Structures are given as structure tokens and as C-alpha cells.
Amino acid sequence: MMRKLFPVLLAINAVLFVAALIFINRVPPESSMGLVQKIFYFHVPSWIAMYLGIAICGVGSIWYLATGRPQADRAAVAGGELAVLFGLVGLVTGPLWARKAWGVWWQWDARLTTALLLWLTFVAYLTVRKYGGPGSEKLAAAVGLFGTAVAPFVYFSVNIWRTVHPLTTVMPELPNSAPEMVPPMLASIFSFLVLFVVLLMARLELGRRQADVDELYLAYEDRTA
Amino acid sequence: MFFRVAFLVLRKDFAIEIKSREILYTTLLFAVSCVLVFAFALVKEGEAPPDAAPAILWIAIMFAGTLALGRTFERERYGETLRALLLAPAPRPALYVGKLLGIVLLLGVAELVLVPLVAFFFLAPFFAKPLLMTLLLAAGTIGFAAVGTLFAAMLMRVRTRDVLLPILLYPITVPVIIGGVRGTAALLASPADEAMATMWLAILAAFDVVFITLSLWTFEVLMTE
């Protein structure tokens, strides 16, 4: 089922991306920020995708710690890798916009700091998996679990500093404040989400095959020994 | 049974430490060197920047704590004694609590030297509100040590444990450094902002509860090979 679904999703994703670009091109430049405002269509969806990756990594980690199933671990690593990838897109696009909108590349604002720290935690997660040696899946699962659990604390403690980032209420209010921005935004979000699912599926399949190959090697060594 | 085991682990660590005092002295000297390095880096024309004292104090506690965590578990690894502890018919979370108490006590002793030292060098009124200051230091130290003990224990089997410990520990203990520094700075301000310090104390206490609970839950799973 998964194998048949994959090319279909890939095709949908390609169409969505082209549609999103056409929609983005059609919206007239925003009055105060001009062309730079269009970063918004890449920036917001990539953070949504990062938080989705973190959620998958967190749930996968808890599932793995509780049951020890290899598929739980594969889901966690896929989520962790995607979180780092999409987080990087968000971290690059954010400062490009901020330089124009705020006049500075970076602000120690609650949302920025939380996102940066969470991203760093999941970079640490991948570092443990890469350099932790045998048995590092469990250590990584603990990092995934703790990294997810610390998010509300980080957000709350940095929130006490003043926030300059546009509030998330910008999003639900978009139909009233700027109705022309809704179609490109929706197209962007959907294309990022479908891309996320496509990459997740590919990564899970890769993990499955790696596990199969490892099993075959072990079986072969047993026979020749 | 639970607290007896925790107490026995603590007494064992204490008995070893009292003979050589190696970890205590090295941790203390390291913490003092940290304070001096930051002092030389920050002090300009004989004046430290505002709020430097709480920042330097907490950085020294965290750095020295990382070193102490590494050394404590290195000792267990060298003698293969943690394996013996894990084989003992004792509740595993009790071993964690015993180790955690040892680290907290060690850091507490280090703070007995560090706090007066920082107060002396930076003319900071650390003893104006002794009760709140002690509670803040205790809550922050326990939170840092709670995550640190779990991570140091689970990294014991990993070859690259020396560098992985800070990489994993710092992003997750960021709320401790923010809460500790901001809370201490609020108390050092003139007049002292007790409401602000109490709020940070509450955040640190919540952090402690959540992360000790998570550690107790995961310690058994993580330490089982």
C-alpha cells in the first residue's frame, strides 16, 4: 500500500509546489516590506513541519522506551532528522526577513530562542545517534523525550522577556487582515506538509531496509560460521 | 527500602570521596578558575558589567557540575562498580536518587565557597535575602543535577561520553540557567525584587518535579542493557 501511495504523493507534492509558487507570485507585494514579506510563505510552513517532526520524534521515543520496538526507534529518528532539516530552513529564512522587518538579523525573543534551542536539542539527538556507538538508540530516545519535555519550560522562561516576533494570532486572522495572502499560504503549508510526509515515508522505508540488510548479514554470518 | 538504598549509595560515595577528596578539590578549583576567567574576560576598567555576578556564578556552577558528573561516573566505570550496583537486588530508581543526592551535596559544598567568592569579587549583596537565595540555588542545582545524573549514567557505556555530556545537558538545562540567573539578579538588585525571584523559584521547582519524575521513570529502562 505504502509503495503505491508514494509516487502519488510525490506527484501531488510537485503540483502543490508549482501551485504555491504561482499563488505567491500573484499576490501584490506587501505595502511596507515589499518582496521580503514573501519569505513568510516558506518560513511559517517550515516551522510547522519542524514541530511536527519533533512531535513524531517525541512520541516515537516514548513508544521506544516503553516497548523497545525497532519500528518506534525508526519513527523517532525519521522525525528527528526532519525536525533538524525543516528547522534549518526556518532558521535561515527567519533572519533574512528580520533584517528587513526589524533591522536586525536576530532577536533574543521567546519564539526565536525556543525554536533555536529545540533545534539544537535535536541536533544533539542526531549527534548521539551518530557518535554514541552501540546501544545509542536508547540514549537518543531519552534525549528525544527530555528535549520534548523541556520545550514548555524554555518557552515559558524566555517568554518573560519581551516578545517582538509576530504573534501566532497573525495566522487565524489572516482572512480578515490580508485575504489575498490566504491562497498562497494554504498552498505553501500543504505543499510543505505533503513534502514532510513524502520524506518521512522515504526515511522510514530506508530504515526498514537497513534493518533487513543487517538481519541478512547476521543470518549469513551464522551460516558460514 | 527505597530510601535506605538511596542512603547507602550516598554513604558509599561519601566514604570513597572522604578518603581522597579528589572530586571535591578538583571541582572547587575548576569552579574558581571559571570565575577568574570570566572576571578577566568581562571586567573593564576595574568595573564588572551589570548583572555579571549572577551570570558568572551560575556558569561556574554548571561547568563545575558537568565536570563533577563526569568524574563521579568515571570512578564507577573504572571499578566496574555501577554494574555491581545494578546487579544488586535493589530498586534501580533508588540508585539514581542516591547518586543524585551525592552530586547535589557536592555542588552544595562547592557553592558554599563560590557564592562568597563571587560576592567578594563583584561586591554583590548575596546575603541580603538569605532564605530566597538558598532556595533558588538549591532548586537550580537540583534541576541541573537531576538531568545531569541521568545523562552521565546513561553515557557511561559510550566512548565519546566526555563531549556528549555537555552537548546533551546544556540545551536541556537552559531553563535552569535562565531561571537561576534571572532569579538571582532580581534578588541582587537594589531594592531586591522578591516577587520576581519567587516566580523564578516556582518555575525552577516545577522543572525539578517534572525532570526528577521523568528520570525516575526512564532510569530503569536506560540502565538495562
Side-chain angles (χ1 to χ4, degrees), chain A residues 58 61-62 65 118 121-122 139-154, chain B residues 96 143 146-148 150-151 154 168-169 171-172 207 210-219 222:
Chain A
S61 298
I62 295 174
L65 282 176
L118 278 175
T121 310
F122 285 86
L139 314 189
V143 178
L145 166 64
F146 277 59
T148 316
V150 85
F153 283 100
V154 175
Chain B
Y96 167 80
V147 183
L150 180 78
F151 281 13
M154 72 183 199
L168 300 184
L169 194 50
I172 290 175
F207 181 93
V210 169
F211 281 88
I212 290 178
T213 314
L214 277 180
S215 302
L216 287 174
W217 178 61
T218 47
F219 187 74
L222 288 171

Side-chain angles (χ1 to χ4, degrees), chain B residues 47-60:
Chain B
E47 288 252 4
D51 277 0
I56 291 171
L57 174 71
W58 280 97
I59 290 173

Side-chain angles (χ1 to χ4, degrees), chain A residues 128 131-132 138-139 146 150 157, chain B residues 150 158 160 168 172 200 221 224:
Chain A
V128 177
Y131 301 108
K138 252 186 204 172
L139 314 189
F146 277 59
V150 85
S157 43
Chain B
L150 180 78
V158 178
T160 44
L168 300 184
I172 290 175
W200 284 115
V221 186
T224 317

Side-chain angles (χ1 to χ4, degrees), chain A residues 24 36-52 86-87 89-94 97 111 165-172 174 181 184-193:
Chain A
I24 291 171
V36 175
Q37 183 271 331
K38 292 187 195 281
I39 287 174
F40 175 62
Y41 303 117
F42 288 87
H43 185 69
V44 176
S46 54
W47 285 123
I48 294 176
M50 182 185 90
Y51 283 106
L52 197 62
F86 282 103
V89 176
L91 280 174
V92 171
T93 51
W97 175 84
R111 212 173 295 269
H165 189 282
L167 293 174
T168 24
T169 51
V170 165
M171 295 299 293
L174 208 58
M181 287 185 192
M185 194 68 220
L186 286 178
S188 301
I189 291 180
F190 278 116
S191 47
F192 267 71
L193 288 183

Side-chain angles (χ1 to χ4, degrees), chain A residues 1-14 198 201:
Chain A
M1 204 272 283
M2 291 278 264
R3 297 240 169 108
K4 280 185 187 157
L5 196 61
F6 190 77
V8 177
L9 275 177
L10 208 58
I12 294 176
N13 199 17
V198 165
M201 282 169 71

